Amino acid sequence: MTLPAFDDFFAALHGTAPFPWQRRAAERLARRETFVVTVPTGLGKSALVDAAVWAAAHGSWRRIAFVVDRRIVVDAVHQRALHIRDRLADDPRLTPLAAALGEMQVVRLRGGVFGDDDWVLYPERLTVALTTVDQLGSRLMFRGYGVAPRRWPMHAGFFAHDTLVVVDEAHLSQPWLQTLSALQEHGARVAVVPMTATPGALQGERIALEADDTALPAVQRRLGTTKPAELIDAPANEGEFAAVVADQVERLLAQPQARRLALVLNRVATARRCFTLLQRRGIRCELLTGRVRPAERDARLEELLPLVRAGRTRTPDAEALVIVATQTIEVGADFDFDGLVTEAAPLSALRQRFGRVDRLGELGRAAGVVLLRQVSNDRADAVYGNALADALSWLRDQAGQTGGVVDFGLAAMNERLARSPAPAEARVHAASLLPAHLQMLAQTGPFAPQIDLGAWLHGPSPRAPDVTLVWRDDLDAGQPAGWAAAVQLLPPMLREGLPMPAAAVRRWLTGARVGDEWSDAGSAADDARPDESPEGRAVLRWRGPDDCEVIAARDIRPGDTLVLPSSYGGCDAWGWAPEAAEAVSDLADACAAERIEAGASRRAVLRLCDGHWPALGAAADRLRGLVARLLELQQLSTEGDEDLGDEIEATAAALRESVFRSGHPLAPLLRDAAIEPHPAGLVLRGAGVEELEGVVETGRAVPLDVHHADVARWAERLTPGDARQAAIVEAARVHDAGKAEPRMQALLHGSALRAAAGPVLAKSALRRRVEQTAAWRASGMPRGFRHEFASLERVAVTDPLVRHLVATHHGLGRPWLPPCADPAAEGAGHAALGSGWQAHWHAACAAYGPYELARMEWLLRAADARASMEEASDGDA
């Protein structure tokens, strides 16, 4: 079947022809060639996603990672990738291409949340991942931010195999490019395409505008539009600066065609202050920063994008609107403003900001203002270092030559720079990545050494690594002992998490002044040494259901996922707001419903407890009464001799029915749900897959021989043509043999008596967490027992690779694993330092390399999970 040409593919997606340079890029990607894209801002660099997807149908890379260090841009390109996926499914013109590509999944990695990563289980799918340097870099380096330590090697194996990494605005990410090159030398099978309008020292063949591009009227309009910007001195004082900003915004809005303005500031705190002042002056404005929860941001962007998107119909009578933003809109996002007021920044950043103005050249002229804010001569800027002072000096020189106006249009600025070159911006170098470093990074799991990746991802810089904040209204700030149990019932999800610099969060929780010295890029300025900080308010650090604990604020570390009581405040509808004391809205129910609708396999959970009643709307009072009655009956049944079983069951049935009729988005999934205790009430938990103590459970009994056959079948299905297929499938056939251990069977059956009478199980039928916990206690299973290592003693496995895959199929043994409380238990001896397992680990890494080893582990673990999902649903996984 003939595949459509790239021009036809592009036209089917967007209704227009691609630029010639985009076609050249797609054809080279189809040949698995890499290059540097040096096309100016506003000429379609995001179309590299289209090009890479089209190339994949011609045998190119099956994993495409689009990397840019602006969170809102990640989201904008995510929407583009979703559009491609949907058009492939719906447009008959693209049917041959869709058939060649197979199923496509679109993944957004912005900030980590443990366990929100089902996509890693689908190696056969074409994957488009939209991400940041921190998120992809940490995964490739075996320390995935927001990834449970047991799953670090899965993510490394996923992204280090047959992956194209497209790095947007690559001049901002040179240390990351250097580290990527080192990872390639150490066995990571990734290809890299940098994109930037300011290539500088980037090496490699280039794709740039050529004569066939510049001959197009659309390109000529974009290159030729003028963007005269007045250069105006502004005070350093925050309050005075905000007043000047507001005056300039009002002046620009007085121009007839300036209906949609951008106001871009360097720090989130400054943006907040100016946003508030503009609101007080009666100007309609919106605030966009990278410090906002994805679910809330997407709802706001859905409303805003039609008003500011490139290609919209401009009307002179449109209501004035100002988008107040930070660096988050500098690149990638398809905004198109009529004018711009911006705080001064290095010239590369200013050019990006003006690239959001009259992007298509429809106005021909769009005015702007650059505020030259006074800076201290003896202190580097916390966001831009010395580059800001250099830029201010260059801008003032230009102002003296031009009467205070500089044209930031593409062609005009190129001419100016040819006459007056801009000051060189310091090139940052990554720390050297030595073989010894990678050997240590490849050691993963709960006991792996703590390693700061910052110098490899960003070079030496004041950048503050992120943590992810999640607010929950069912956490009582005065009862932290119950937090872990509450969150285990409904684990955090990606779209309810707000990424913030660890330093700023630590300062906020310890009562120190958060200050203004941080931007969307983050800065560690003014941060006290963590070990010298006050203890601060407690938070729950979440690393999965079997690895969560309440910690003091001073113990926060980069990459942590932190769950807080909503009563702490610190966030409002616009995002991070450290002064806000109002309770933060709990987004978990909406995010859970969204995930399940998208096909996630996790269980639906609805909290019926104190703090969360407002989420139940009009049904709350009745549900609260039924919960109180059910808890009362359960208590009476444990204290007395009266048989209350019928009344308990009737009350439980009434509770389920009331939930079903409540109109809550999760209600349709919970009619037959299990009812379980919550520290502040009850929860309803539906069917699905979950991970408990590193073991995937489904709530359905599955015999061991059936599960082994299922996993082996999936292993074959996921590894067609793989040189290591035989070893992976052999490991799949025996991986859970250790579950035949008698105490493990008592746990899976729920009692030793049932275990003696029933088949040998791989999966338990126990659905309620309270039942699972009781079974663990009653079985006598020793703490630290690992069935995967018991498997090595239950079956005769001689191939070292197969032994390795069996032992590591839950993410332990790389090389560390917990000591077993019963040293005589099967497999317990492998935890000892002198057991020989560490020598095995060293030999395996030497034989296959850390990335090939991680790839094989990932494929076996994906087969295990897919079989479990199939067993849970009695259908295809």
Side-chain angles (χ1 to χ4, degrees), residues 758-841:
V760 177
L761 293 181
K763 302 292 180 184
S764 172
L766 304 177
R767 285 178 54 191
R768 300 175 64 214
R769 185 172 291 275
V770 65
E771 294 174 330
Q772 294 168 340
T773 303
W776 273 92
R777 292 173 180 161
S779 68
M781 179 64 63
R783 180 62 104 179
F785 173 80
R786 295 309 314 174
H787 72 271
E788 52 267 50
F789 278 86
S791 297
L792 299 183
E793 299 186 13
R794 285 251 162 187
V795 294
V797 179
T798 57
D799 185 328
L801 177 56
V802 177
R803 287 177 62 82
H804 175 89
L805 294 175
V806 169
T808 58
H809 80 269
H810 283 299
L812 297 178
R814 311 186 79 257
W816 316 111
L817 66 156
C820 184
D822 178 4
E826 296 176 39
H830 290 284
L833 284 177
S835 69
W837 186 253
Q838 290 75 31
H840 159 85
W841 162 258

Side-chain angles (χ1 to χ4, degrees), residues 439-668:
Q439 290 170 10
M440 181 168 288
L441 288 164
Q443 298 178 27
T444 65
F447 316 103
Q450 294 274 347
I451 299 175
D452 183 359
L453 305 181
W456 290 306
L457 300 180
H458 305 289
S461 76
R463 181 188 179 99
D466 279 354
V467 296
T468 300
L469 304 181
V470 174
W471 283 265
R472 292 289 179 82
D473 58 19
D474 60 325
L475 303 187
D476 184 339
Q479 300 291 331
W483 292 358
V487 179
Q488 283 168 344
L489 293 165
L490 181 57
M493 289 159 284
L494 176 64
R495 289 176 54 72
E496 60 173 331
L498 189 153
M500 275 297 301
V505 172
R506 194 182 301 116
R507 289 176 60 79
W508 171 60
L509 289 168
T510 55
R513 180 178 177 272
V514 175
D516 297 340
E517 298 297 308
W518 52 276
S519 68
D520 274 340
S523 171
D526 288 336
D527 186 39
R529 289 173 55 87
D531 55 357
E532 296 174 357
S533 301
E535 213 174 80
R537 288 185 285 182
V539 294
L540 180 76
R541 179 167 59 201
W542 177 263
R543 292 177 174 171
D546 54 344
D547 187 7
C548 57
E549 62 176 329
V550 175
I551 63 171
R554 69 179 177 193
D555 296 324
I556 292 170
R557 294 296 179 265
D560 282 347
T561 295
L562 306 173
V563 188
L564 326 173
S566 291
S567 60
Y568 277 15
C571 178
D572 61 18
W574 308 101
W576 173 246
E579 295 85 10
E582 296 81 8
V584 180
S585 60
D586 182 324
L587 303 181
D589 288 352
C591 292
E594 184 181 77
R595 289 189 68 220
I596 292 169
E597 183 180 352
S601 59
R602 305 289 170 167
R603 300 183 178 190
V605 176
L606 180 61
R607 294 159 291 167
L608 304 172
C609 59
D610 291 345
H612 197 60
W613 295 118
L616 280 303
D621 288 343
R622 173 165 172 75
L623 291 172
R624 192 200 312 250
L626 288 168
V627 167
R629 179 56 178 161
L630 186 54
L631 288 171
E632 179 186 18
L633 290 170
Q634 290 173 342
Q635 181 67 25
L636 290 172
S637 70
T638 61
E639 294 175 349
D641 297 328
E642 187 179 357
D643 183 3
L644 299 174
D646 289 345
E647 190 173 356
I648 288 175
E649 185 53 42
T651 306
L655 179 61
R656 292 189 187 94
E657 185 64 20
S658 293
V659 167
F660 183 74
R661 297 181 181 281
S662 68
H664 191 279
L666 292 173

Side-chain angles (χ1 to χ4, degrees), residues 63-67 127-131 136 159 163-167 191:
R63 272 162 284 285
I64 303 160
F66 193 99
V67 183
T127 299
V128 180
L130 300 315
T131 183
L136 180 62
F159 281 114
T163 299
L164 173 68
V165 181
V166 180
V167 183

